Amino acid sequence: MGIVAGLDSSPDFTRIVVCDADTGAVLRQGYAPHPLESPEGGGRPADVDPQAWLLSLGEAAGGGLLEGVQAIGVSAQANSVVPLDAQGNTVRPAMVGGDKRSQVAAADLIDALGGREAWAQAVGSVPQAGQPVTKLRWLARSEPEAAARTAVLLQAHDWLVWQLLGRPVRRTTDRGGASGTGYWSAATGGYRPDLVELALGHHAVLPEVIGPADAAGTTPEGLLISAGTGETQAAAFGLGIGLGDAVVSLGASGSVMAVHTEPLVDQSGMITALADATGMHLPVVTTLNAVRALRGTAELLGVPDLESLSELAMKSTPGSHGLVLLPYLEGERTPNLPHTAGTLAGLRRESMRPEHLARAAFEGMLCGLADALDVLRGRGVEVRRVFLLGAAAELPAVQAAAPMLFGTQVVVPQPADYAAIGSARQAAWALGVSRGTLDPRTPPVWQGAVAQVLEPGEELAVGQAVRRQFVSVREQTHPGAL
């Protein structure tokens, strides 16, 4: 069918892959960092000039990378807001990432609608600091003049698609991106403009939500642009996950998502009811503590890196000689314990050895993510295998413990930019539908990710005993938290 491209504009860089439209084989790729200035004290800026994304895109596509490409898909970081005025100009820099400025605004919005359950029923999620709807509330309270000038609301991938098409009158988004805003419901498939007004103080124009296989438009040069989607949804699509699959992502914090046939309403706020990039649903449960618990333990033990911590942990045995670490170092979201701290339990003279604490850190992190998996399982989400993502997924201590603690087959895909690959697959789908060679209900079948497959095997009973040990300490320390 030809060649297609997928573009992933992450918080730090742009990556572009060019793929065979029939098989998904990656033919060539480009990369460029975003030209962003770090704020004082380091970290990522909460405000970004969207032009930086275009500059990065142009650099990544240099050298004729897109020559011969017939369609392109776009994914970009979630939880971003690009406020535009009536002429389509940015009112202020884009608000991106998990913006702590908005924490008070999130609490305000929850109260303004009548509580957590009201929000869960309305849009399938309870406002969090990073969500677009919460950022709008912060904007209205902190920068009222900018809020008053805001006439159009886009997210990062919406804005990039619009720019690639030459800023047409029609602005589009997809179900996946819309479902993370806090003002679109995956259950009804419609916007809640009243929630935009509640947050921003007035009405704003929202992009049209188009279908997973629809095209957003065609450039004057004849390049078809697909709907685009959020980075999370694109990565799931690039991995090729389906019903029965879950993805556990190991970053500083952790996330668990799974494909499901229907949206889930959860008034506790632990589940965020996202839509995916295929027409299905993608409930997500987040933990605040994953690899940060490993890094903290490595610093405490004086080991130089996570590889050394893993090597140390492998000298211990499952159960860490009775040591249990509740890794709630930043508070926790699953379970909902925002103001708590971590707990180390089971200290005995024989357990007070570095290798046992190292093992307890790995088991604590994975048991916390297993708790998140159980939140989904408890709502009827089937989990037959788990895809494990992130650099820490390569560590021997993670690979030894994850299958037994998750109680299922674990797949560790070869590192790749699955969000860019997913965007390219979406482009191939839209291209095929436009030519009448693909069904709009069935995405193209691409070769799966090269992966290592790990089975719990005979260790399953041991793993479940370790889980029970963890749950017992959690229940004693935080009764009824889950």
Side-chain angles (χ1 to χ4, degrees):
M1 192 165 67
I3 59 174
V4 295
L7 182 158
D8 174 35
S9 182
S10 84
D12 299 315
F13 59 82
T14 297
R15 191 179 300 279
I16 301 174
V17 297
V18 176
C19 300
D20 181 287
D22 293 314
T23 67
V26 176
L27 306 176
R28 50 188 188 261
Q29 49 192 309
Y31 168 89
H34 290 328
L36 303 178
E37 293 188 15
S38 293
E40 291 183 24
R44 288 180 181 147
D47 294 334
V48 175
D49 182 351
Q51 293 298 324
W53 305 333
L54 283 183
L55 291 170
S56 175
L57 191 166
E59 186 180 341
L65 183 79
L66 299 180
E67 188 175 336
V69 166
Q70 294 153 309
I72 189 166
V74 176
S75 66
Q77 56 189 304
N79 289 337
S80 55
V81 179
V82 186
L84 305 178
D85 64 20
Q87 286 72 47
N89 302 311
T90 51
V91 168
R92 69 177 312 284
M95 296 178 282
V96 298
D99 196 337
K100 291 187 177 180
R101 295 176 301 186
S102 308
Q103 288 175 335
V104 172
D108 284 350
L109 278 177
I110 292 170
D111 291 342
L113 195 65
R116 304 172 74 86
E117 185 171 2
W119 277 97
Q121 294 289 344
V123 290
S125 64
V126 178
Q128 303 288 333
Q131 274 189 299
V133 70
T134 309
K135 289 172 176 166
L136 295 182
R137 180 72 157 201
W138 177 87
L139 186 65
R141 294 292 170 86
S142 303
E143 299 179 6
E145 291 183 9
R149 290 171 50 221
T150 298
V152 180
L153 296 172
L154 297 179
Q155 293 193 87
H157 82 270
D158 310 333
W159 187 85
L160 285 166
V161 165
W162 184 59
Q163 294 290 330
L164 290 172
L165 290 172
R167 297 164 58 105
V169 172
R170 182 191 189 216
R171 302 177 185 91
T172 62
T173 191
D174 84 307
R175 297 169 66 254
S179 65
T181 59
Y183 44 79
W184 186 87
S185 167
T188 65
Y191 281 116
R192 287 288 302 265
D194 57 312
L195 299 182
V196 174
E197 195 166 340
L198 180 69
L200 186 61
H202 61 85
H203 172 71
V205 176
L206 304 171
E208 176 189 346
V209 180
I210 61 177
D214 291 345
T218 305
T219 68
E221 298 78 25
L223 183 66
L224 182 141
I225 311 291
S226 64
T229 194
E231 204 168 30
T232 298
Q233 291 85 351
F237 197 40
L239 281 167
I241 67 170
L243 289 172
D245 293 333
V247 177
V248 173
S249 183
L250 301 176
S253 54
S255 68
V256 176
M257 61 183 176
V259 178
H260 198 46
T261 54
E262 58 189 28
L264 298 177
V265 173
D266 175 46
Q267 68 188 64
S268 74
M270 285 190 287
I271 298 175
T272 299
L274 297 181
D276 78 349
T278 72
M280 300 280 277
H281 297 272
L282 198 67
V284 178
V285 180
T286 303
T287 70
L288 296 181
N289 302 277
V291 175
R292 65 165 39 100
L294 302 184
R295 295 202 184 283
T297 305
E299 290 172 13
L300 179 66
L301 293 174
V303 298
D305 49 40
L306 296 187
E307 288 74 19
S308 302
L309 186 71
S310 172
E311 188 178 332
L312 187 60
M314 294 298 284
K315 295 176 180 176
S316 182
T317 53
S320 310
H321 273 241
L323 276 190
V324 175
L325 176 65
L326 302 184
Y328 306 154
L329 309 184
E330 295 280 320
E332 189 47 84
R333 183 172 167 187
T334 307
N336 185 26
L337 298 165
H339 307 299
T340 194
T343 300
L344 183 63
L347 283 170
R348 297 179 184 276
R349 178 66 190 87
E350 61 270 19
S351 66
M352 296 177 73
R353 296 183 58 83
E355 62 267 30
H356 302 323
L357 179 55
R359 176 92 190 195
F362 283 96
E363 290 179 344
M365 174 187 76
L366 292 168
C367 283
L369 289 160
D371 280 348
L373 269 173
D374 284 348
V375 169
L376 294 178
R377 284 174 167 141
R379 296 297 307 277
V381 178
E382 185 180 12
V383 178
R384 290 194 301 269
R385 62 177 177 171
V386 169
F387 285 75
L388 199 57
L389 300 186
E394 302 289 327
L395 296 172
V398 169
Q399 295 191 4
M404 69 169 84
L405 294 177
F406 293 159
T408 189
Q409 183 186 82
V410 170
V411 179
V412 184
Q414 184 175 296
D417 196 317
Y418 291 104
I421 292 169
S423 298
R425 189 179 177 206
Q426 188 192 62
W429 194 8
L431 183 64
V433 169
S434 75
R435 293 176 170 177
T437 57
L438 287 178
D439 188 321
R441 295 163 299 181
T442 309
V445 178
W446 278 11
Q447 57 198 21
V450 177
Q452 185 178 3
V453 179
L454 309 169
E455 300 283 356
E458 296 177 358
E459 297 286 314
L460 182 60
V462 175
Q464 297 316 292
V466 175
R467 278 292 320 276
R468 286 193 294 273
Q469 181 176 269
F470 179 90
V471 170
S472 174
V473 173
R474 170 169 48 72
E475 278 298 305
Q476 289 171 13
T477 312
H478 306 287
L482 270 181

